[in-house]
Amino acid sequence: MLCARLTNARFLTMDPDHPVAHDLGVWRGRIVGLDEAVTSLPAREVVDLQGATVLPGFIDAHVHLAWTGLKQNTPSIAGRTRIDDVLAVVEQVVTRKGSPGAWVSIAGYDQRALGRHLTAADLDKVSHGHKLYVTHDSGHGCVVNSAVLDLLPTDIPHDNGFLAEGAMGAARALRLPYSQEELAQAIGRAARTCLAEGVTACAEAGIGGTLLGHSPVELGAYQLAREKTLLPLRVQLMVSADRLHPVAAHEADGIPRALDLGLRTGFGDDRLSVGALKVFTDGGMMARTAALSSPYEGLDHAGQLQDDPDVLADTIVDGHLAGWQLAVHAIGDRAADVALDALERAQRLLPRPGARHRIEHAGLIRPDQLPRFAQLGVSAVVQPNFLRYFGDDYAAITGETRAAWLYRGRAFLDHGITLVGSSDRPVTDGSPLRAVQFMVERSSGSGRTIGPDEGITVEEALRAYTVAGAFACHWEDDLGSLTPGKRADLVVLGDDPRRVDSSRIGDIEVVATYVDGRTPVS
């Protein structure tokens, strides 16, 4: 007897051998058959989906759950366009903080809306003896007041209180880490948000590190969230590369650096596992720290690498030698050069054709870099909603020629490169459907078309959030398509993305989300 039969729906399976179905059978959390194979079988529960469209559950291959959940409960200055208004909000938050000298966190900072960066002097006016830490929306910078600057080593660079990249990490290190309980609750909040948008599996893009980590025991927070039933979807954890340390392994292993006990990609189960090693090579476009080959339009610099190129390359190579899948953060084309060079050297030293290394973001990729992606078998894990929300700004700071190379779609596919969709939530909206709409239309919120030649079909965009996401996370045996034998993870939609006008895709209702074929939630 089936546990459940879902019927009267248009199942878009993403499986070319059986692309559309009307019935789907579930037994013990897995799909056991489609259409005639299950239609006449008895089932404990028969669910009439009333003509809805059903897809495999969306996979967000690059998200920050803990950061998202923490941000949801952090006072924000988002939407303010005047310095005085920002400072008024900060002062209100500070006055509610009872303990003199305590840390006060503020979210939602973006200097572009204000016309200039906040400064330590600005924050000093409203700090009232507290330590202020205002996080940039990109996650690649923060502004602090003088009380924090006074605690930093004198060699930490800053621009009137704005700390970028590694300097930001130095300020974060001054604070106590979050407790596992706090993190577990934050992870749960974010996971429920993802689930409501049809996401049934995701890759957490970096735990335990200096830049985006929240605790040296952050993996334990995810375990706690799972134990407390706060984790309703599948999560794969990327580990920040700065957690690697030299190990005295047997010389035959060829492992120069590793995590304790040799932990690496693949450890865990279908609900919580260790994924790729996250390596940062540059910063972010919003903070103007993404490393480009030539300067930003109107600025006298081209961003920055996170470290000396040789140091970054050695980290990538060591991770490869230690058996990791690598997820290399590279937004600018100069950073992508560093990543591709290092991955090529790594594969030359120890060929691992099945490693499925990834470049996260791949935000500005030159035409000459595309064949190298393909040759190395590297996936491009992009965030289409970056251009949906920030496209006008990104196009302006890269210039007309380079704007056509931003967050590519068609060029990756035409070169045989696996194109993977993701959100980088909470940096942008996490909705897969809104991202799919952008991938098709290439239209920013203002209506500006950015790189129109990079537009792809609806079917191709949906594959980026299902089949390709599963492949990038080594989940293809269980997820990504509605195929017998795979997990019964699926999303029920109020309309068919292939049949509505592309301008309506982002507004399609997510009716319900199933994980392991269980009672829908959302």
Side-chain angles (χ1 to χ4, degrees):
M1 176 180 287
L2 298 174
C3 295
R5 186 174 72 250
L6 309 183
T7 188
N8 188 20
R10 184 186 298 115
F11 292 94
L12 307 182
T13 68
M14 308 308 292
D15 181 348
D17 293 334
H18 195 146
V20 181
H22 53 78
D23 275 23
L24 180 146
V26 179
W27 186 69
R28 293 190 175 181
R30 290 189 180 271
I31 300 167
V32 293
L34 300 169
D35 294 342
E36 288 71 22
V38 297
T39 299
S40 61
L41 295 179
R44 293 192 186 97
E45 181 183 18
V46 176
V47 181
D48 184 344
L49 292 175
Q50 300 180 340
T53 296
V54 182
L55 281 160
F58 295 127
I59 297 171
D60 190 335
H62 184 120
V63 66
H64 300 277
L65 292 179
W67 179 16
T68 298
L70 292 169
K71 185 176 180 180
Q72 288 172 346
N73 274 15
T74 300
S76 176
I77 55 174
R80 271 70 178 187
T81 58
R82 297 175 62 250
I83 298 289
D84 287 346
D85 292 341
V86 166
L87 296 180
V89 173
V90 173
E91 188 163 29
Q92 289 174 7
V93 175
V94 167
T95 55
R96 292 199 298 267
K97 197 80 174 182
S99 307
W103 285 89
V104 176
S105 295
I106 304 290
Y109 173 55
D110 186 344
Q111 85 285 356
R112 297 171 303 174
L114 301 175
R116 68 168 176 86
H117 271 301
L118 289 172
T119 66
D122 291 330
L123 296 179
D124 288 345
K125 298 174 185 176
V126 294
S127 59
H128 301 295
H130 292 74
K131 303 178 188 73
L132 300 186
Y133 187 98
V134 183
T135 305
H136 195 276
D137 270 344
S138 68
H140 289 272
C142 65
V143 183
V144 299
N145 65 340
S146 296
V148 177
L149 293 178
D150 290 344
L151 299 174
L152 290 171
T154 56
D155 61 343
I156 298 296
H158 69 89
D159 182 9
N160 295 317
F162 180 72
L163 301 162
E165 309 303 340
M168 175 188 177
R172 288 169 64 94
L174 296 173
R175 309 178 61 175
L176 284 173
Y178 289 95
S179 71
Q180 288 191 345
E181 178 63 30
E182 288 177 293
L183 290 174
Q185 294 296 331
I187 291 162
R189 286 193 295 273
R192 290 190 294 273
T193 301
C194 291
L195 205 66
E197 293 179 339
V199 175
T200 57
C202 66
E204 163 64 56
I207 62 169
T210 301
L211 190 60
L212 293 177
H214 299 93
S215 167
V217 291
E218 194 165 0
L219 190 151
Y222 284 84
Q223 290 180 286
L224 181 62
R226 179 180 179 177
E227 291 163 2
K228 301 184 74 158
T229 66
L230 298 172
L231 201 59
L233 42 68
R234 306 181 198 282
V235 178
Q236 189 178 87
L237 303 172
M238 299 185 203
V239 177
S240 294
D242 56 10
R243 303 303 298 176
L244 296 182
H245 58 80
V247 292
H250 193 284
E251 62 180 17
D253 293 333
I255 299 176
R257 283 188 281 174
L259 292 186
D260 289 333
L261 303 179
L263 189 72
R264 60 174 174 82
T265 303
F267 183 80
D269 59 23
D270 66 286
R271 295 302 292 254
L272 182 63
S273 61
V274 174
L277 185 72
K278 178 75 174 292
V279 183
F280 286 93
T281 62
D282 69 344
M285 200 78 77
M286 293 168 63
R288 312 313 194 221
T289 54
L292 311 183
S293 296
S294 56
Y296 291 92
E297 291 287 315
L299 299 177
D300 60 358
H301 69 86
Q304 65 188 75
L305 295 172
Q306 291 282 356
D307 208 328
D308 180 87
D310 291 338
V311 172
L312 295 171
D314 287 346
T315 299
I316 291 169
V317 170
D318 286 354
H320 174 88
L321 295 177
W324 287 90
Q325 179 189 22
L326 295 166
V328 185
H329 168 114
I331 292 182
D333 58 330
R334 179 160 55 111
D337 280 334
V338 172
L340 293 168
D341 288 346
L343 291 171
E344 183 176 7
R345 174 156 69 97
Q347 291 284 17
R348 190 167 57 247
L349 289 171
L350 179 66
R352 287 177 54 213
R356 300 190 194 174
H357 296 322
R358 316 155 34 144
I359 289 186
E360 309 299 302
H361 307 297
L364 185 72
I365 300 300
R366 303 187 309 270
D368 64 286
Q369 293 173 318
L370 293 166
R372 298 194 68 196
F373 270 77
Q375 181 183 9
L376 290 166
V378 174
S379 298
V381 184
V382 300
Q383 297 76 41
N385 276 335
F386 274 21
L387 292 191
R388 179 180 174 89
Y389 292 97
F390 311 137
D392 294 351
D393 174 61
Y394 284 17
I397 62 172
T398 54
E400 183 176 354
T401 298
R402 291 186 295 183
W405 307 341
L406 288 166
Y407 293 91
R408 292 176 178 271
R410 174 54 54 201
F412 285 133
L413 292 178
D414 285 351
H415 281 80
I417 299 160
T418 301
L419 175 65
V420 184
S422 68
S423 69
D424 204 17
R425 188 197 302 265
V427 179
T428 59
D429 180 347
S431 165
L433 286 171
R434 282 190 279 275
V436 165
Q437 178 177 326
F438 175 82
M439 295 174 88
V440 175
E441 295 183 331
R442 301 288 298 187
S443 179
S444 72
S446 72
R448 176 175 180 170
T449 303
I450 301 167
D453 292 343
E454 293 296 332
I456 62 177
T457 68
V458 174
E459 182 84 11
E460 289 167 333
L462 292 173
R463 286 184 67 84
Y465 277 90
T466 53
V467 176
F471 178 83
C473 296
H474 292 269
W475 278 332
E476 73 276 12
D477 289 341
D478 284 320
L479 306 176
S481 66
L482 302 181
T483 302
K486 292 192 178 185
R487 297 283 178 182
D489 292 5
L490 45 88
V491 55
V492 181
L493 302 178
D495 218 326
D496 186 340
R498 306 169 310 164
R499 298 189 177 188
V500 302
D501 187 271
S502 62
S503 64
R504 291 181 50 212
I505 294 174
D507 295 323
I508 292 174
E509 179 188 4
V510 175
V511 177
T513 308
Y514 288 72
V515 176
D516 281 334
R518 292 175 184 163
T519 305
V521 285
S522 88

